[in-house]
Amino acid sequence: FHYNVLAQAYNEVGMKNKVEEVYLKGIRHFPKESRFYVELAEIERSKGNHEKAQIYIEKGSSLHEDDYKFFFLTGKYFFDQKNYKKSK
């Protein structure tokens, strides 16, 4: 998808707000594309918005239950919350 390329280009030049806009637009046009949810979860996690990150993780993983990226993100989410038992 061209959304990923555009978001990466914005990221390379430091336009972080545009990166998020591109992924949100990608979701509007391709709501079943799990990569957008992964990237948005990482963006929210990096901003310290752990609850919002978890929403993107849950939505993306409900679309692709066997996608390892969501298992990894869920572990990172629980680790950030210092819930070490659930992060395993």
Side-chain angles (χ1 to χ4, degrees):
F1 293 112
H2 67 280
Y3 291 103
N4 290 327
V5 175
L6 183 57
Q8 289 172 355
Y10 281 134
N11 193 44
E12 288 291 320
V13 296
M15 298 176 72
K16 304 292 184 192
N17 60 327
K18 290 296 221 176
V19 173
E20 188 171 358
E21 286 178 30
V22 168
Y23 286 128
L24 288 169
K25 190 173 184 179
I27 285 175
R28 283 194 300 277
H29 290 103
F30 301 98
K32 294 186 179 185
E33 177 55 46
S34 65
R35 180 179 182 127
F36 300 144
Y37 296 98
V38 169
E39 298 299 337
L40 285 167
E42 286 287 24
I43 289 169
E44 294 301 336
R45 184 178 166 270
S46 72
K47 294 191 300 188
N49 297 334
H50 301 290
E51 290 79 20
K52 199 166 181 181
Q54 185 62 23
I55 291 168
Y56 286 124
I57 293 167
E58 289 172 3
K59 178 62 177 171
S61 65
S62 73
L63 298 171
H64 300 280
E65 293 176 358
D66 59 344
D67 190 335
Y68 74 91
K69 294 174 204 129
F70 294 108
F71 294 113
F72 182 69
L73 283 172
T74 299
K76 286 169 59 173
Y77 170 79
F78 285 122
F79 187 83
D80 289 345
Q81 300 300 311
K82 299 190 183 342
N83 190 338
Y84 302 116
K85 285 185 178 183
K86 284 191 173 184
S87 70
K88 293 181 180 180

